[in-house]
Amino acid sequence: MTDELAHLSFGQLVRRVRACTICADYLPLGPRPVIQMAESARILVVGQAPGRRVHETGLPFNDPSGDRLRQWMGVTRDTFYDEQKMAILPMGFCYPGTGKSGDLPPRPECAPAWRQVLLDRLPHIELTLVIGQYAHAWHLPGPRRSVTESVRQWREHWPAVLPMPHPSPRNNLWLRRNPWFEADVIPALQKRVARLLGPGEED
């Protein structure tokens, strides 16, 4: 399948992703892959999987988590949803359903089927925001660490990659316990995002 996908045009590949049904039997609301990408994008946002509201609207990070993420990045909604500048590829493209303590993990079929072939079509990415444990596990080299430890060691990957906690309101306690993140990491992130996006893109 990978060789076949590599020969598709960019538009054909994106249409194929958005028509994907490989894990339809396991999705409580059915498949609706939610991605955003264009070959010109310079920033890549890697989350976990769409929540229910994102599934319903088809717009990635269209929820309180997205509001906080845009605040962290220092960008407007218009800039965030400009696919020419910002690519958004979660680890799972469809809403996986909800468990006892929040949304279920991304479906395991998604990343092996699509991830590398899509990343290969984003040649201009200069900053990748890696959000949450599943994204960390895929995108960060070396031994597995806790989310806190990966984020604490963010300078190991900077400026090309930034490990981040999830911006969900469920992480408010983590943010209170780790004030260094918003004090030290966020200013560096906002400065780099503004530089990559050019003049006039800051919030």
Side-chain angles (χ1 to χ4, degrees):
M1 182 176 178
T2 302
D3 289 342
E4 175 196 352
L5 296 175
H7 289 90
L8 296 177
S9 71
F10 184 83
Q12 289 171 330
L13 177 60
V14 171
R15 286 192 293 274
R16 183 76 69 88
V17 171
R18 288 180 171 148
C20 179
T21 60
I22 58 173
C23 54
D25 291 345
Y26 305 98
L27 301 173
L29 301 183
R32 187 181 190 181
V34 179
I35 65 170
Q36 173 180 300
M37 61 184 293
E39 291 172 295
S40 60
R42 300 182 71 187
I43 298 174
L44 171 62
V45 178
V46 180
Q48 299 192 131
R52 181 183 288 269
R53 182 173 172 184
V54 170
H55 173 88
E56 291 170 350
T57 63
L59 200 61
F61 282 101
N62 186 30
D63 53 22
S65 295
D67 294 338
R68 175 177 275 164
L69 178 59
R70 287 182 282 275
Q71 181 182 18
W72 283 350
M73 296 175 71
V75 299
T76 63
R77 282 180 66 92
D78 286 346
T79 295
F80 187 79
Y81 291 120
D82 184 344
E83 66 180 13
Q84 301 300 321
K85 299 173 180 176
M86 202 91 61
I88 304 173
L89 294 178
M91 294 306 302
F93 298 158
C94 294
Y95 170 61
T98 302
K100 292 181 179 179
S101 58
D103 287 349
L104 294 171
R107 289 297 312 171
E109 300 90 345
C110 195
W114 297 113
R115 191 146 205 85
Q116 194 56 55
V117 71
L118 292 174
L119 294 174
D120 289 345
R121 298 295 186 97
L122 295 171
H124 301 295
I125 297 297
E126 297 186 53
L127 172 63
T128 300
L129 306 184
V130 184
I131 300 170
Q133 62 173 316
Y134 301 102
H136 289 194
W138 179 280
H139 283 270
L140 300 181
R144 187 75 59 89
R145 293 168 167 168
S146 69
V147 168
T148 300
E149 187 60 23
S150 291
V151 178
R152 193 180 296 277
Q153 302 301 325
W154 64 279
R155 290 183 179 86
E156 292 181 2
H157 312 283
W158 189 255
V161 176
L162 178 63
M164 301 178 70
H166 201 280
S168 167
R170 290 178 176 271
N171 265 350
N172 286 345
L173 179 59
W174 188 95
L175 293 170
R176 288 197 296 272
R177 288 175 171 172
N178 297 277
W180 51 268
F181 175 73
E182 291 187 314
D184 300 335
V185 182
I186 294 305
L189 169 62
Q190 292 181 354
K191 185 176 180 179
R192 178 135 177 82
V193 167
R195 184 181 298 121
L196 290 175
L197 295 180
E201 297 296 347
E202 296 150 277
D203 208 0

